[in-house]
Amino acid sequence: DAGITQSPRHKVTETGTPVTLRCHQTENHRYMYWYRQDPGHGLRLIHYSYGVKDTDKGEVSDGYSVSRSKTEDFLLTLESATSSQTSVYFCAIRTSGSGGSGANVLTFGAGSRLTVL
Amino acid sequence: GDSVTQMEGPVTLSEEAFLTINCTYTATGYPSLFWYVQYPGEGLQLLLKATKADDKGSNKGFEATYRKETTSFHLEKGSVQVSDSAVYFCALSPPGGGGGNKLTFGTGTQLKVEL
């Protein structure tokens, strides 16, 4: 079982406050991802990382930043939370498939439910 | 860009009924295709995958065949159980893992199985 934990699992905050979600892995995987899940939209990619200090934007990156200073940790920050960022956030790691195989299997964390009032 | 379209839910079935959840995709080349399942309160889990045309992925009685000619990857199960109640997501990744090895997901289809 891939060791991937997210924290906090639940958070309620107010509009305008900063929020940081943490994703921690124990297996030294290179690729890590942050998705958000909303009704009617499925999962949408926010940011991803392909190594320490190597990150790139996904399709819904506005209002979010990420950092990866260590292989095992991938942080998602909302600099100034808004109600539209109320969502369930999932971290994922790429756990199999070499560069050319195309079999990009992702393993997901349990999710972090964020409510912005 | 790449996209995945799934049938709208919820789908409600009686136990032992036959299940089909439709999935079609738009992508260049030959992407890899996946079905993930999400049980209540949990993260997504890989259910099955197929990496090339005509491949059949299977797991836990579920099957899906990669159809390049119809750009489809429909999920099927011959006899569903109450424990199959969950949300099912179809997804694709670019050929060769290009573009950061990202997965593009459909919107999900909720399945409810009743006794």
Side-chain angles (χ1 to χ4, degrees):
Chain A
D1 221 19
I4 177 170
T5 56
Q6 294 184 227
S7 60
R9 293 290 315 280
H10 301 273
K11 185 172 182 66
V12 179
T13 191
E14 294 189 351
T15 298
T17 59
V19 175
T20 295
L21 306 179
R22 178 180 184 239
C23 179
H24 178 79
Q25 62 151 324
T26 60
E27 296 189 352
N28 207 36
H29 293 286
R30 180 183 173 194
Y31 285 86
M32 300 183 75
Y33 307 82
W34 277 108
Y35 285 86
R36 60 178 288 175
Q37 183 179 21
D38 304 288
H41 292 278
L43 275 80
R44 293 178 291 174
L45 182 65
I46 305 171
H47 282 280
Y48 68 99
S49 170
Y50 48 97
V52 173
K53 298 185 179 177
D54 291 324
T55 65
D56 205 349
K57 296 178 180 180
E59 62 179 300
V60 290
S61 59
D62 286 350
Y64 302 95
S65 62
V66 290
S67 66
R68 192 163 178 206
S69 58
K70 301 183 289 185
T71 298
E72 57 266 36
D73 289 325
F74 190 33
L75 304 180
L76 176 70
T77 297
L78 292 65
E79 300 291 349
S80 177
T82 67
S83 58
S84 63
Q85 294 176 310
T86 292
S87 186
V88 181
Y89 292 86
F90 286 99
C91 177
I93 55 178
R94 183 172 183 261
T95 52
S96 72
S98 60
S101 75
N104 296 320
V105 176
L106 300 191
T107 297
F108 285 81
S112 295
R113 181 175 295 275
L114 175 66
T115 301
V116 183
L117 302 176
Chain B
D2 296 345
S3 66
V4 176
T5 302
Q6 291 181 236
M7 61 188 290
E8 294 279 335
V11 174
T12 303
L13 296 173
S14 298
E15 201 169 42
E16 300 184 0
F18 185 86
L19 168 71
T20 300
I21 300 178
N22 291 336
C23 171
T24 57
Y25 68 89
T26 301
T28 54
Y30 289 80
S32 293
L33 300 173
F34 306 83
W35 278 100
Y36 280 79
V37 59
Q38 183 180 34
Y39 299 102
E42 299 183 8
L44 280 70
Q45 304 173 24
L46 178 68
L47 181 58
L48 52 84
K49 69 181 189 292
T51 58
K52 60 183 186 294
D54 300 324
D55 266 3
K56 177 184 284 188
S58 61
N59 186 26
K60 299 180 181 180
F62 291 89
E63 294 183 339
T65 301
Y66 188 144
R67 301 288 188 197
K68 180 64 175 173
E69 62 277 12
T70 54
T71 61
S72 65
F73 193 55
H74 304 321
L75 182 67
E76 297 181 336
K77 187 176 185 182
S79 176
V80 293
Q81 306 298 313
V82 172
S83 57
D84 294 326
S85 298
V87 181
Y88 293 82
F89 291 90
C90 187
L92 68 80
S93 71
N101 301 295
K102 302 186 294 290
L103 288 190
T104 298
F105 287 87
T107 54
T109 302
Q110 184 174 11
L111 170 66
K112 298 180 181 178
V113 181
E114 301 173 335
L115 290 171

